Amino acid sequence: MEFTNFDNEQSSQNIMATILKSLPKESGLTKIEYEGPSIALYSKNPRFLIENSQILSNMVNTIRKRVVIRTDESIRKSRNDSTRIIQNHLLPLKVKTTGIFFDDALGELTIYISNSFEMKNQIENNILLDLVTETGWKIKTRKSTVKLATIQFIDKVLDNSTDYRIKFYKEVGDKVFRTKLSNSCEASVLTLGGFGEIGRSCFLLVTKESKILLDCGINTHEEKALNYYPRFDMTGFTLEEIDAVIISHAHIDHTGFLPFLFKYGYRGPVYCTEPTLPLMTLLFLDYHKNHELYSEDDIKNVIIHSMPLSMGIVTDISPDVKLVLYNSGHILGSTSIHIHIGNGNHNLVYTGDLKFGKTNLLENASWNFPRVETLIIEGTFGSKDLPHKREETDPILIESINQTFRDGGRILIPVPIIGLSQELIYTLTKYQEDGSLDPSAEIFVDKSILEATYMHELYYDYLSKEVKTKILNENISIFNYKHLKLLNSKSKVDKPGIILVPSSMLIGGLSVKFLKQIHNDPLSKIIFISNQGTGTLGKEIQTGNTEVTINGQQLKLKCKIHAIHGFSNHSDYNQLLAYISRLKPKLKRVVINHGEKARVQNLASSVNKILNIQCQYLLVPEAIKLL
Ligand SMILES: [Zn+2]
């Protein structure tokens, strides 16, 4: 249950009084408790509250706080009994499950369904309510054709932290809903990373009542610690003083510092979308395998303290800050962050990584914010130097691949684990289906990319309308798994095929291993489709250097090199300007972050000159006053 407007403050007593007054006796209310940024209503008769949802929406419109219905502990059946009840209902419908996860802290269970989507709809429409009544648990369903290691890891961590989480959710609620200490309002932004550079995206929003961190990344292609991590040495306060962390999306340059934050003592909430939690966990586990800079316990702490939020819902995260997440079109679950400060005093939008343009898998970024005065926007492609447009890209890519296949060569495409790799798998599948690309061509991926790909089906509701409809109506798999062949570090690819492996900038990992395998074959090709950071091996090769050194070994490249730029899931120069000019009401101030200095500088001057909006770029560390 949610509200979508901001409103005046209300005291906790008023809120509780309104709740008690609004709910009739039949609602079976047993207690009201804070649950992180929500107010949880425990009920012995959840069916009544679900069936009479109007009562709740009226109440929520009055109190203007997030409310969740929880089932009273006394009505929840045991795990065994609940599983039996669920199977008895699902078996006759031929619905197959790959598991059921019970979250005791929330009284909520998730049924992972493997086979039919029509069945899933049927479950939701007809028997979900019966299942809630008979089991006494709140019920969610998710599509999961296979058991995913990361999801199992997260579910186990959540299961082992039930008592701690119950306490933690209450403590967060107490802080969020406490009375304000001051009536006046102030806000400033302190840049800690990702301004005038790409990597370690991180800044701090300081208001009278709160300190909130937006993104928390590391710069994996920097060697010096001072450039690798966000500049926490500049903040002048301890990690315990931070009230919340908000994550825009899972990529390591926006999240990689989170486990370090917990290693050094942070114990507050992490807000992100539902898919971002497993996607970033996948990246942390992968990073942890190769760098022992933090422990698995630090990753577990990120999971325990994460509070996934839906998009478009107003959430109080401190006494003077409300948060709404909007789709940013960049990767699965990526968001632009809308921050409402005080009582309508200031609105800040931080875009995160932004795609203002449709891709094959995701919807265009949202741009319709109720209010925004300050915009912090990425400027990765803040200059007009991209030769290809997205619509020209597919034919260029397919022709490039076909050419290499005709020669009998292999293709290496270095990709990130999440985002471009799935966009590419989806695109290749599409062209294999229509015959433009050899239907028998094998696509080699590593374990992490395969798992991230499956996660796109688990959270299909975050994909574009078109893809979602395809999944729901045609009941098909959107990725052609039978053509995907799994690779590991010992694999050899000695026949034509497409190798999609991380890292995208050839910083390490399997892409460097397979580069060594194909580098002296003049028939084979490296295709770059993502932005190559300055100083990376990828950039060196892309700009034409054929003699490179990898781990002390000198290599002379004989393979072909092809860079296709239009594939990017970042907005190009024109899309960035179109996005900024689209926002209404007219912005008071624009700040460019996330981009090499020359590009953010160029974009800032374009916004000033072309759009006539006050625009600047910041570096690290710098501070500006918003209010
Ligand atoms: Zn990103």
Side-chain angles (χ1 to χ4, degrees), residues 70 79 82-83 86-87 90 96-104 106-114 120 123-124 128 131 135 137-144 151 154-155 158 274 458-459:
R70 296 288 173 216
R79 291 184 180 196
S82 302
T83 307
I86 291 166
Q87 296 300 4
L90 299 193
K96 288 192 191 126
T97 57
T98 43
I100 299 174
F101 167 64
F102 292 83
D103 187 340
D104 290 292
L106 302 177
E108 195 168 76
L109 63 83
T110 307
I111 311 174
Y112 295 107
I113 296 170
S114 68
K120 180 182 173 293
I123 296 168
E124 285 184 352
L128 212 54
L131 287 179
T135 62
W137 289 75
K138 268 194 96 174
I139 295 180
K140 282 200 297 197
T141 58
R142 286 240 157 260
K143 184 191 181 191
S144 182
I151 300 292
I154 292 172
D155 285 352
L158 293 178
E274 220 186 347
L458 195 65
Y459 297 100

Side-chain angles (χ1 to χ4, degrees), residues 249 251 253-254 330 353 570:
H249 68 287
H251 281 151
D253 59 332
H254 294 256
H330 171 63
D353 289 357
H570 291 269

